[in-house]
Amino acid sequence: NYRGDALHGSATYTYDSGERMVSTYLYGELEGPFEEQDYNGFISCRGAFKGGQRCGNITFHWEDGGKLEGKVNEAGDVSGKFVYHYPDQRSVLRGDWEEGEMVCAKFSVDGEAEHPEAPSFAHDPATATHISREPLLADPYEARRVEVRRSLIPGANEGLFAQVDLQPLEVACFYSGCRLTHEEVDSRDWAENDNTLSIDDDTVIDVPAEYSSANKYCATLGHKANHSFTNNARYEPYMHPRFGEIKCIRAVAFIQAGAEITTHYDYNEIDENGQLVAPAWYKKAS
């Protein structure tokens, strides 16, 4: 609807990407509740506008099950006190955000009081040469769910094990690391790519050999999951408030406490000679 040349009333604006904003206009300015949807209709954000500017409480949702909620500042920015909810909706990181990034937050479960001496967490995305400011600061959600032990798989070294029962589709842990291009990874020997995982068509996560041991790097432990053709978990995209865009390991079946968590490495690239591009052990096993 229009009043003169100005939008007035309920409206849905569709971006070139297919994403949509469902909102209300008052004489051409955004006013009142709004929600943002991706091209599949998933609601990624809910909040309100006043005088064309975001105001009050806002909630961001991610398809991985996490969400961030709090109150925007006077400029409509995600700055101030916010709470990030892990996918179980019981575990949270509560603290200060600045322009959309976690500055200082503490972990708690089921609303329990935060211990004053508990570690704080901040936005700490990896680069090509920097894995983490605090490589030995474990993600607190993950630390309650998984641990590293000697693998039960013949020929493997360490493996990833469930500390607690994991339900189907439950996020078990995370996989962060240095961020490389596919070209950089493809140019290396397979021996250097033991801990690599593709994020998308542009980026590969890598936990370098010097950080492979949990004594050197345990901020995330996803790189410790071994391969199995009868895997009980899988890799999925995840937006983490500390690490940014990474992947998680999500159970695909019930995993009993004490059981080893395995994923399918899914090497499927075929070279110009019709040969599978994969390490020798994978080709032999398949």
Side-chain angles (χ1 to χ4, degrees):
N1 296 324
Y2 283 85
R3 294 289 176 89
D5 294 330
L7 272 172
H8 189 81
S10 300
T12 299
Y13 183 88
T14 303
Y15 301 92
D16 292 340
S17 63
E19 297 172 316
R20 297 183 292 271
M21 177 184 284
V22 180
S23 55
T24 303
Y25 287 83
L26 183 64
Y27 297 105
E29 284 195 332
L30 286 163
E31 187 78 19
F34 78 92
E35 64 181 35
E36 295 176 355
Q37 305 172 358
D38 69 11
Y39 58 90
N40 288 320
F42 175 80
I43 298 172
S44 58
C45 181
R46 276 196 173 107
F49 279 95
K50 185 174 180 63
Q53 181 174 282
R54 291 192 306 194
C55 67
N57 295 324
I58 194 167
T59 304
F60 297 91
H61 299 267
W62 288 274
E63 291 190 74
D64 53 46
K67 72 176 182 180
L68 178 68
E69 59 183 3
K71 186 176 182 179
V72 298
N73 66 9
E74 292 181 356
D77 297 327
V78 180
S79 296
K81 300 294 183 183
F82 277 78
V83 180
Y84 173 77
H85 298 257
Y86 285 92
D88 67 347
Q89 302 304 316
R90 298 175 53 214
S91 308
V92 304
L93 287 167
R94 186 188 312 273
D96 298 316
W97 264 249
E98 184 68 32
E99 296 184 356
E101 294 184 355
M102 184 171 64
V103 175
C104 180
K106 293 202 171 187
F107 178 77
S108 65
V109 178
D110 291 335
E112 66 187 16
E114 298 156 7
H115 194 283
E117 296 182 6
S120 59
F121 299 87
H123 187 57
D124 182 23
T127 67
T129 58
H130 166 82
I131 195 166
S132 175
R133 290 193 300 268
E134 298 186 86
L136 296 179
L137 179 60
D139 179 86
Y141 171 94
E142 174 183 283
R144 291 173 173 236
R145 284 167 170 76
V146 301
E147 62 184 351
V148 176
R149 300 208 311 258
R150 181 77 183 182
S151 176
L152 302 175
I153 299 172
N157 293 313
E158 293 180 325
L160 188 69
F161 290 79
Q163 289 194 66
V164 297
D165 290 345
L166 298 171
Q167 302 302 318
L169 302 183
E170 183 174 353
V171 172
C173 65
F174 306 105
Y175 197 136
S176 184
C178 295
R179 305 177 80 83
L180 305 179
T181 66
H182 283 271
E183 290 74 19
E184 289 173 306
V185 171
D186 292 344
S187 67
R188 307 189 308 188
D189 186 83
W190 275 111
E192 297 182 74
N193 294 334
D194 284 347
N195 296 326
T196 56
L197 180 65
S198 175
I199 288 291
D200 52 35
D201 292 340
D202 300 315
T203 306
V204 178
I205 285 177
D206 177 36
V207 178
E210 61 266 32
Y211 287 106
S212 184
S213 169
N215 293 326
K216 297 293 185 180
Y217 176 76
C218 61
T220 63
L221 293 174
H223 63 289
K224 289 298 183 180
N226 287 312
H227 166 81
S228 173
F229 289 107
T230 56
N231 55 298
N232 55 18
R234 64 175 179 241
Y235 301 114
E236 287 190 358
Y238 197 93
M239 184 60 71
H240 196 287
R242 177 180 171 192
F243 307 110
E245 186 179 357
I246 57 169
K247 283 200 171 178
C248 69
I249 292 180
R250 190 184 295 271
V252 297
F254 174 76
I255 303 175
Q256 188 173 15
E260 185 164 3
I261 299 170
T262 59
T263 58
H264 195 305
Y265 287 5
D266 196 27
Y267 292 109
N268 54 24
E269 182 183 351
I270 304 298
D271 65 17
E272 63 273 12
N273 298 316
Q275 299 297 310
L276 179 66
V277 179
W281 66 263
Y282 186 92
K283 292 179 182 179
K284 184 178 180 180
S286 59

